[in-house]
Each structure stands twice: as structure tokens, then as C-alpha cells.
Amino acid sequence: METFADASAITPSGDDRWKAEVRPGWDIEGNTNGGYLLAIAARALAARVERPDPLTVTAHYLAPGRPGPVEVHTEEVRRGTRLATATGTMSAGDHRLLSVVGTFADLDRLSGPELVTGAPPELPVLPAASAAGDTELPAFTTKVDVRLHPDDGGFREGRRSGEARMRGWFRLPDDEPMDGFALILAADAFPPTIFNTDVPVAWTPTIELTVHVRARPTPGWLRCHFLTRFVTHGLLEVDGELWDAADQLVAQSRQLALVPRVARS
Amino acid sequence: METFADASAITPSGDDRWKAEVRPGWDIEGNTNGGYLLAIAARALAARVERPDPLTVTAHYLAPGRPGPVEVHTEEVRRGTRLATATGTMSAGDHRLLSVVGTFADLDRLSGPELVTGAPPELPVLPAASAAGDTELPAFTTKVDVRLHPDDGGFREGRRSGEARMRGWFRLPDDEPMDGFALILAADAFPPTIFNTDVPVAWTPTIELTVHVRARPTPGWLRCHFLTRFVTHGLLEVDGELWDAADQLVAQSRQLALVPRVARS
């Protein structure tokens, strides 16, 4: 079984560049998952500034990714005692896929007062995994283990909840340990929230995704909550909250996506 | 009276660079306001890609800004039919102040289905402006007209609401018209949410600020809502929602900030 660590591995290729291989199967209908691409790019930036944890990473998506070799060209813009910032571009050949900026740190070295007024999403008992060999589901669903809240997972059978929300569990297959880069992946691994509404939309291409990593996750399932409150002017936001098995907020995410008009048949 | 348009004006200086003058008085305790700096940088990126509206702009803050000349070095990374993306660095001399990435468009050319499940913050009657010549308040309060919800504005007199929230009105002085760049300013113009809690903190330096501009505001007051739900590991987020006089969501913002430990006397 291919691990996420392998599928997102980077190797130095000189001149502040890192190369990686976008693996097949990490796509939805041919377009490589945006969280997976950002995780690869973020690994390169973190390597550039020699810090273990992404604190806040933003990608602007320029073109769809495809399986094959990519290169991340990085630039260090600041290296402080605690925080370090880098920018980068991921390209496939001459084709730019994403522009990235991130600030990195060692989360073990950050501490301060605590004030938490949120809580993990309430989820019922963990649903069983989809039946193996379910060819209706994209290959991506074998790369990550996403189990949707039963109220949010019926949209594929036409049972939309009516709320632009997706809640559920996330882990890597075989309980592969998760780091901040896996959280970046998780932040973009759920189906579009809008599929639970009557808004006629076939896909929502991401313009920009920002992930804040707030803690390294403890082993076990993440509980995740993705919500859209505003679909306006052909744009929507998706706000994500990711909690670990120790009831710790481990990441927040927000993306801005396009909502192309489609004719509903 | 100096307008925001003047104070954030940019002029081309060749080689994809724009220069600007960070004006005095746009600071809090000597550090130039981060929203003001990002507005200047975003103007340069928008000029670079020749689009009128910032859709989503992210800054990573590298060093505090001071009054004086700055230069924004821009790079166009994609120019599509609707969306265009650019990156940039704002520097004062050899000193980098911010790293920026943004995607720009003409909001008049974007449309799609609408689904709105939020509402403007409920605010009581508009409070009077602070007494002119109140030397307790920073000069920045003469550059923007911010009026806090009475429940949220008592922190300066020690009456903290107990909730990490700031709600209130925003406009530019003399009702100067507001565009998307003014929304970027507004997204960082309110006092820190955490000042309404008992968390001992003197300031919260911004690591990263992202603003999504969803519509051009109609004339009149903005109603704004800033909320922090998680203070953990020496970090906090501030989520902002900005609504215009026509009850239209015009912007969302999120920042990640450091929460330095301070001894409370």
C-alpha cells in the first residue's frame, strides 16, 4: 500500500528546488486533489527553511495537476528565531500549477495562554468503510479514509441534507501517522459542501486554500467539519475545522472556490 | 484631510515595481497597520495584472512597517480570462516587510447561484465618534472611522465583555468611497478581539492575513464582526465578516496571530 508520506515525498534537485512525483489515483475526475498538491509544496517550503511544522500555508491554484513529475521552486523570505517564511511555485514542466506562501515553525517551541470556545463536531458512531471495489467512487477514496456523517453522506444517492456542510472522520489508510502536512491534505479531502444543497453545481474549482496548523495530531481519527455560508457572485468559501482524537483543534482551513453555472438536467 | 486613496496610492517605478509612501499616523504604537500595508501591496498586484478587484489576498508579515517609502516588487504568475494571480514583496530599502499573493478579477464579470445563510451583526444605534482630541487613542483612529458595539468597546476602561469578539461600524472619514482595497484595510482596523477577554496579552502581531473580497461595497457604513474562538500554542485566529449598508456580505477575513506571553501586573 502506497503511503501518504511516500506519495508526497520530495527530493532536493539543487538551486532551492525540490522535485516530487504526483502519483496516479490522487485525483477527482482527472484533476489531482488540491490538498495533496499543497502538501507536497509545503514540504518543499518547510525543507527550505528547515522547520518541521507548517503554521499557515496558502496556495493559489493556477492549473489542474496531473500525475507525473513536478518541481517546487522555493525562495526563503525570512528566517527568524521562531518563525520562518518561504514562497514557492510548483510547476509541471513549463506549466505552473500553484503559487504558495507559508510560515513554518517548531510547534514544540510555541506556547501561550489557552482559550478554546469551540468543540469537535458531534458525530454518531463511525460508519463502515465503503464496500471495497465500489467503482462508483473515485480512486482518491482509496488514498484517504473519509467517512461522512450519515446526514451528510447521502447526496450521492440524491439525499441532500439541505445544508452546505460536510462532517465526518478522516484518517490515512492503515493508520499511517499524520503530521501537519497530512492535515493540509485532510483540509481538502472531503466532497464539496455545496453538494448537500440544491444549488446546481458540478464542481467547485479552488481559487485559494489556506490552512492553519494549530497542533500536531495525536494518533487516531480526525473529526472534521466543513461549512459554506455564502455562495455569492459565483464564489463560495469553505471553512474547515479539524479535531484530533484528544479533542484538540489541530487545524483550521478556508478556501475560496468558483461556482460555475451549470444547467441542471 | 488625507484620503485613504492618497495614503495607499502607488506609482510605477519600472521593472514590475511600484513605489508608495507609508504615511505617518497609520500606525498603532509605532507599527504601521497591517491592513493598510496589505492594501498598498494589493493595489500593486492588481495594477500588475490589470484587474480592478482583489478577490483573495494573503500577506505574511515579515517585519513591522514604519512611515517612509516602500516598494512592491511584483510577479505575474497567471493571467486567465476571468482570474489573474500575482505575487509580490513589499520592502522598505533592503528590509522586507511582507510577502503577498493574490488573485484578482472584475467582480462585475463574475456571477452564479446565490445562497446566503449568514446575516450582518446586530448592532444597536450608531455610537457617537470619540471626542476629538482624545489623546488616549492612537492617531490611526483619525484615519479610519471605527465605532465599536457598546458591549465590545468598554475594554479600554477595563470593562471586558468576556468574549473574544469585536463588533462595530467602519467607514472612511468624510464618507470617502470604499473599494475592495478599503475592505482589506477594514479587515484589520479593529482592536484585537482578545482585549475583551482576561487572557493577559499586550499585542497580537499578525503572522498572516487573508481577505476574501466578495462584493464592492455600496456607500455607507460597513458592519463588521471579528471573532476569535481558539487561543492555543501561543497562536490565535481572528475571523472577520464585513457587511455593507445594503446587507450584502462584502468580505471575509482570517488572520493568524502570535499571542506573546506577558506578565500581568
Side-chain angles (χ1 to χ4, degrees), chain B residues 12-80:
Chain B
S13 55
D15 285 344
D16 306 328
R17 291 168 190 263
W18 276 261
K19 59 185 179 181
E21 185 77 21
V22 170
R23 305 290 180 94
W26 290 82
D27 64 286
I28 306 289
E29 314 226 345
N31 295 326
T32 303
N33 175 264
Y36 168 57
L37 291 177
L38 179 51
I40 294 172
R43 281 200 198 280
L45 299 193
R48 179 73 179 83
V49 297
E50 299 175 288
R51 302 293 160 106
D53 300 301
L55 277 193
T56 165
V57 175
T58 291
H60 285 240
Y61 290 87
L62 310 171
R66 308 275 179 237
V70 292
E71 198 167 49
V72 185
H73 188 188
T74 69
E75 191 192 354
E76 178 175 307
V77 292
R78 176 176 180 267
R79 196 186 287 230

Side-chain angles (χ1 to χ4, degrees), chain B residues 109-168:
Chain B
R109 297 187 57 202
L110 295 178
S111 66
E114 302 268 324
L115 183 73
V116 171
T117 58
E122 288 190 23
L123 298 175
V125 67
L126 183 73
S130 304
D134 182 344
T135 54
E136 296 292 302
L137 293 174
F140 181 61
T141 60
T142 66
K143 305 299 184 187
V144 296
D145 193 348
V146 169
R147 316 260 180 110
L148 296 177
H149 188 301
D151 292 351
D152 299 344
F155 67 92
R156 288 195 186 90
E157 291 82 47
R159 288 179 289 106
R160 300 184 192 97
S161 72
E163 284 188 274
R165 183 162 69 167
M166 288 286 168
R167 294 163 296 178

Side-chain angles (χ1 to χ4, degrees), chain A residues 56 60 62 75 77-78 96 103 114-115 117 208 212 214 229-231 233 235 237 241 253-254, chain B residues 56 60 62 75 77-78 96 103 114-115 117 208 212 214 229-231 233 235 241 253-254:
Chain A
T56 166
H60 285 239
L62 310 171
E75 190 193 354
V77 291
R78 176 177 181 266
R96 287 171 164 180
T103 291
E114 301 269 323
L115 182 73
T117 57
E208 175 255 315
H212 294 178
R214 301 292 290 267
R229 293 169 60 231
F230 304 104
V231 185
H233 285 89
L235 301 165
E237 91 290 355
E241 256 181 53
S253 66
R254 176 174 284 168
Chain B
T56 165
H60 285 240
L62 310 171
E75 191 192 354
V77 292
R78 176 176 180 267
R96 287 170 165 181
T103 291
E114 302 268 324
L115 183 73
T117 58
E208 175 254 315
H212 294 177
R214 301 292 289 269
R229 294 170 60 231
F230 305 104
V231 186
H233 286 89
L235 301 165
E241 255 180 54
S253 66
R254 176 174 283 168

Side-chain angles (χ1 to χ4, degrees), chain B residues 71-252:
Chain B
E71 198 167 49
V72 185
H73 188 188
T74 69
E75 191 192 354
E76 178 175 307
V77 292
R78 176 176 180 267
R79 196 186 287 230
T81 50
R82 280 184 304 181
L83 306 181
T85 302
T87 62
T89 306
M90 176 186 276
S91 303
D94 292 337
H95 218 58
R96 287 170 165 181
L97 303 181
L98 31 152
S99 253
V100 194
V101 54
T103 291
F104 301 83
D106 181 344
L107 275 167
D108 286 339
R109 297 187 57 202
L110 295 178
S111 66
E114 302 268 324
L115 183 73
V116 171
T117 58
E122 288 190 23
L123 298 175
V125 67
L126 183 73
S130 304
D134 182 344
T135 54
E136 296 292 302
L137 293 174
F140 181 61
T141 60
T142 66
K143 305 299 184 187
V144 296
D145 193 348
V146 169
R147 316 260 180 110
L148 296 177
H149 188 301
D151 292 351
D152 299 344
F155 67 92
R156 288 195 186 90
E157 291 82 47
R159 288 179 289 106
R160 300 184 192 97
S161 72
E163 284 188 274
R165 183 162 69 167
M166 288 286 168
R167 294 163 296 178
W169 293 259
F170 176 97
R171 67 172 181 183
L172 295 174
D174 299 320
D175 262 329
E176 179 187 345
M178 292 186 283
D179 57 11
F181 305 97
L183 296 177
I184 293 171
L185 170 68
D188 194 39
F190 281 64
T193 51
I194 201 170
F195 285 181
N196 263 322
T197 74
D198 292 328
V199 173
V201 71
W203 62 313
T204 55
T206 304
I207 299 172
E208 175 254 315
L209 169 63
T210 295
V211 182
H212 294 177
V213 172
R214 301 292 289 269
R216 292 182 202 144
T218 56
W221 288 95
L222 300 178
R223 281 157 298 164
C224 306
H225 185 187
F226 296 92
L227 183 68
T228 296
R229 294 170 60 231
F230 305 104
V231 186
T232 64
H233 286 89
L235 301 165
L236 61 75
E237 93 287 356
V238 180
D239 279 357
E241 255 180 54
L242 286 64
W243 296 78
D244 73 4
D247 285 355
Q248 193 179 206
L249 176 83
V250 289
Q252 286 186 300

